[in-house]
Amino acid sequence: MSDHKHSNSKHHDKKTGHDKPAPKAEANKDKVKEPFSVRYFLKALGPGLITGASDDDPSGIGTYSQAGAQLGYGIGWTMLLTFPLMAAIQEISARVGRVTGHGISGNVCRHYSPWLLNVVVALLFIANTVNIAADLGAMADATKLLIGGPGMIYVLFYGVTSVVAQIFLDYKRYVSVLKWLTLSLFAYVAALAFAHVSWGEALTGVLVPRLTWSADYFTTIVAIFGTTISPYLFFWQASQEAEDQRVDVTKQPLIDKHYGAQKEFHRIRADTIVGMAFSNLIALAIIITAAATLHAAGKTDIQTSAQAAEALRPIAGQFAEVIFALGIVGTGLLAIPVLGGATAYAVGEGRRWPVGLARKPKEAIAFYSVLALSAAIGIALNFTKIDPIQALYWSAVVNGVLAVPVMVLLMIMARQQNVMGKFVIRGPLYWLGWLSTAAMLLSVLAMGVGMFVGGK
């Protein structure tokens, strides 16, 4: 979030209760082109960067590790394919939030049937809560590898810490913490240094798709798509754009105030592309590390991120194991707040409650209660007999299946003038969004057909 200078010419906005600059003053401000500054650019990175980084959560790390261990370098092409697709759908999500001043759920409740909203939100709540449970379990396992001790204590510690930070930390400080946590992902770039990578094979795997007709292969493809293009990411980025607009007294929804729209869209695009490129490069680093070490050594039965870290020790050394494990904890601390926050935004906006991490706890009791409830159930699932290995992998598959109807709804919404006004999505971005939706649908259908054929 960038700092803004306030104009002396203001009017009172009845919707928000804030004094906002008069349109004329803003129009003049927009005409002044600011010189490019690396500091300003880094400061402008926000929802897109955090969204992209949170995509590489412990569940995703487990999926990418499993893919690399089972299929080797040959699965790297999926990262090249998913980058433009996820960047497009995330940019569309962000635009919806910035234009309307509401997240996806907030727009659905205003323009579509209540039953549609209830189904989508219910499925999102289930998928995100299972994902939180899986991530907490993976973080606990990684911590046990590092320092030993009882895993359940770590589950409680990480779960409670994430919720308390979201509820009680100042919003700007909290967003700053999330930005710094993105640096934990560089652990997986460092892990490459301990792997004897065949860069020729790795490059071929990225550039030349190799398909295998089997249920396991297509289930892995769907899991990769599901953990890369996930519904909670759409909800989170849209809601964060709306949140940033609400807390900045110089901004209004673009549908109400058209000035500076192109500047905002350029910022959103840069933020999203940087975030998604970062996400996919880290995911590719994890796949290549697993392929160069685990797959090369014949260890193809890796199921979780913690197992991958443990398996690295005899192959690539203790430092590789420690780096991998530290990355799991760091990414979990980033992802769990995003998962819980996305759930709370979806439920709260759908019910038209006061929502937002910038609000004090007493101002948004119901919103924070949903956030805490999702995390509490996620913690509790770790104390049941549910297999965390299966939860970790299948939560990604569930996200892949759930993404299809959410993406269709998002694309329809982004094209409707009663939702987006003059800023309906058109041109290449619109068609790339539909291509992303079609690719997700095809991967899910391929998994279904593969399972049917495999069953025969």
Side-chain angles (χ1 to χ4, degrees), residues 68-69 72-73 192 195-198 286-297 315:
Y73 297 117
L192 280 174
H196 300 291
V197 179
S198 172
I286 295 168
I287 289 173
I288 291 175
T289 298
T293 54
L294 306 178
H295 183 78
I315 301 169

Side-chain angles (χ1 to χ4, degrees), residues 152-188:
M152 290 308 172
I153 297 296
Y154 302 136
V155 168
L156 280 170
F157 173 75
Y158 291 132
V160 171
T161 299
S162 297
V163 172
V164 169
Q166 281 183 290
I167 295 176
F168 295 106
L169 272 186
D170 174 75
Y171 179 69
K172 288 187 177 182
R173 182 175 296 177
Y174 181 69
V175 170
S176 177
V177 169
L178 291 182
K179 283 186 181 181
W180 280 106
L181 280 172
T182 62
L183 296 177
S184 64
L185 288 169
F186 282 105
Y188 299 107

